[in-house]
Amino acid sequence: FNQKLQPVYQAINLVRNNLVKEKSLIGFIGGFFTLFAYLIEGKPSKNYKKSIEFIKNNPRQYQELKSIIIKALILHLKQQIKNGVDTIKIFDSHAGSVPNELYNELIIEPSKEIIQAIRKFNKETIIITFPRGSKEVNYYDYIEKVKPDIIALDQFFNIDKIDEVRKTFNIAGKDAAKEIAKELAPDPLNVDRLILNRLFHQTPDFPDKKNIN
């Protein structure tokens, strides 16, 4: 595993060594369910029905695959961090396709396990998560249990609920959000855009920017 991905880690190290120290370097992984679904489906799907059926009908094989995938994701993140990444982002690109009754099993618990392992490995690493397409109620549950440093919200999330997200997320208003943003983009001209784009995954010209600034 490590051997095959050495070119990736060497590239990260090269980029880090050529960046000024004030610049953040972000590493990425796909979330557990995203990788699991691609493995089972073999191609993109509208509802990932085949993956959900596999979980229900093959509990032992599912648990074995789950353990292997999560271990691989943690290892991949650790190697990225060792080679210079100071911020990571977990893309759960298909979280919105997960039924409510399986959301904790497929999205929350794997993310929680990965984040706990990374915080134990390097507590300075900034952790961003993106459970794309999640229902609003699942977002709040996710935040409370997974506890990422930053939660990314997709373009379909109701922007009027941002203050509720902050409250759940225990972010102390705009100043705290801007402090996090400055760590990722020291250029002050990019801070507001980052809050819209990277923290909340809205487009830069989103009309309700006043609710975030």
Side-chain angles (χ1 to χ4, degrees):
F1 181 85
N2 276 339
Q3 189 63 34
K4 289 184 177 180
L5 289 176
Q6 275 307 305
V8 174
Y9 306 138
Q10 290 169 3
I12 290 172
N13 190 267
L14 182 64
V15 172
R16 177 71 272 172
N17 289 335
N18 282 276
L19 281 178
V20 296
K21 64 179 181 178
E22 292 81 11
K23 293 290 184 180
S24 184
L25 183 59
I26 303 179
F28 303 90
I29 59 166
F32 161 70
F33 179 70
T34 294
L35 270 66
F36 174 80
Y38 288 157
L39 180 64
I40 299 300
E41 304 281 344
K43 59 182 180 180
S45 169
K46 291 183 178 179
N47 54 22
Y48 296 94
K49 182 179 179 181
K50 186 177 178 181
S51 300
I52 301 301
E53 288 180 348
F54 181 92
I55 292 166
K56 293 178 178 179
N57 297 330
N58 303 278
R60 184 179 61 80
Q61 292 93 328
Y62 159 69
Q63 289 296 335
E64 290 175 354
L65 280 173
K66 181 181 180 182
S67 178
I68 291 169
I69 292 171
I70 290 177
K71 286 178 181 177
L73 290 173
I74 291 170
L75 178 59
H76 186 39
L77 284 176
K78 286 181 177 180
Q79 291 299 322
Q80 292 183 64
I81 293 167
K82 282 182 181 179
N83 283 278
V85 161
D86 53 68
T87 302
I88 62 167
K89 186 168 184 179
I90 303 172
F91 281 88
D92 259 310
S93 302
H94 305 299
S97 299
V98 174
N100 282 341
E101 65 271 18
L102 289 174
Y103 192 86
N104 188 74
E105 167 67 25
L106 298 179
I107 305 299
I108 290 178
E109 289 303 320
S111 299
K112 184 177 177 181
E113 183 176 345
I114 292 167
I115 287 175
Q116 287 176 342
I118 295 305
R119 286 194 170 131
K120 185 176 180 180
F121 178 71
N122 187 328
K123 64 181 181 180
E124 301 301 323
T125 302
I126 296 173
I127 300 173
I128 308 170
T129 60
F130 183 27
R132 180 176 177 268
S134 295
K135 296 178 178 65
E136 186 178 315
V137 64
N138 287 335
Y139 264 118
Y140 300 137
D141 196 32
Y142 180 99
I143 291 167
E144 289 179 352
K145 293 178 179 177
V146 177
K147 296 179 171 50
D149 296 310
I150 298 172
I151 185 80
L153 308 178
D154 63 37
Q155 68 271 30
F156 303 109
F157 189 87
N158 185 354
I159 197 71
D160 293 331
K161 301 291 186 178
I162 288 297
D163 285 339
E164 292 183 32
V165 171
R166 283 193 175 122
K167 183 178 180 181
T168 306
F169 203 24
N170 198 27
I171 292 180
K174 66 180 181 180
D175 292 335
K178 287 195 174 187
E179 285 304 310
I180 295 172
K182 286 175 184 177
E183 290 292 323
L184 300 176
D187 181 355
L189 295 177
N190 287 333
V191 169
D192 287 339
R193 176 173 296 217
L194 182 72
I195 291 172
L196 285 166
N197 250 352
R198 196 175 300 286
L199 270 67
F200 301 124
H201 264 255
Q202 306 295 339
T203 55
D205 56 347
F206 200 91
D208 204 12
K209 187 177 176 182
K210 64 180 182 296
N211 282 345
I212 296 178
N213 288 330

